[in-house]
Amino acid sequence: MSCAAETAFWIDWRLPLTSWPPGTRCYIGHETCWRRMPAAQEALGIADVVADNGGRISLVTPHLPGEALSVVLRLVERLVSKLEGVEVICSDWGLLNKVCLLRVGTPVVGRMLAGQSTDPRIARVCAPEGGAARSVTHLDGTLCALRRRVPSAELIEYY
């Protein structure tokens, strides 16, 4: 198994883009307002510059009203036809559904669809009570007693 780090840059698509660092990812779009998304010609122009330098594009999208869904979906399709490895960061369930159904780009669930700021299990982890031990079977077949260990004060403060 190997891991590779990817360098990415967020750009203001309203400014002219004439060069791009080779092999890096470009994030364009807007997370909260569909009217601030780049027009197709601007996005495709950026895609050309990024592609010429071996880069990749991530299109960040907001919640989309009905008419905007088809506009953004057409933009995604055009970007995918130009570039390999286009990510579509979706903050709209409808767009996420369409991207998955049509298999255009790589769908990514955006922050706006994941509304919780903390994992709900953290409250249970930080609870002071220990709970009863329970029996579990280890991978090798051995029966074991699983006991809860209360986290350290530092970890509770961190959470």
Side-chain angles (χ1 to χ4, degrees), residues 37-46 71 74-75 78-79:
M37 294 286 295
Q41 291 307 319
E42 292 164 323
L44 294 169
I46 292 167
V71 171
R74 276 194 306 274
L75 173 57
R78 291 179 72 185
L79 286 171

Side-chain angles (χ1 to χ4, degrees), residues 26 36 39 52:
C26 176
R36 293 188 173 186
D52 289 345

Side-chain angles (χ1 to χ4, degrees), residues 67-84:
E67 71 274 6
L69 178 62
S70 60
V71 171
V72 172
L73 195 55
R74 276 194 306 274
L75 173 57
V76 169
E77 290 170 337
R78 291 179 72 185
L79 286 171
V80 168
S81 70
K82 276 188 160 294
L83 280 168
E84 296 272 330

Side-chain angles (χ1 to χ4, degrees), residues 97-155:
N97 182 48
K98 288 288 189 184
V99 167
C100 291
L101 286 175
L102 297 174
R103 296 177 187 234
V104 290
T106 302
V108 178
V109 175
R111 292 186 309 160
M112 298 305 186
L113 293 184
Q116 282 199 264
S117 58
T118 59
D119 189 320
R121 295 170 291 186
I122 290 175
R124 190 174 58 222
V125 168
C126 294
E129 64 273 355
R134 62 185 173 119
S135 295
V136 295
T137 304
H138 191 274
L139 290 173
D140 65 7
T142 309
L143 192 61
C144 304
L146 183 64
R147 293 185 183 89
R148 181 177 183 272
R149 189 168 121 188
V150 178
S152 67
E154 291 86 13
L155 183 59

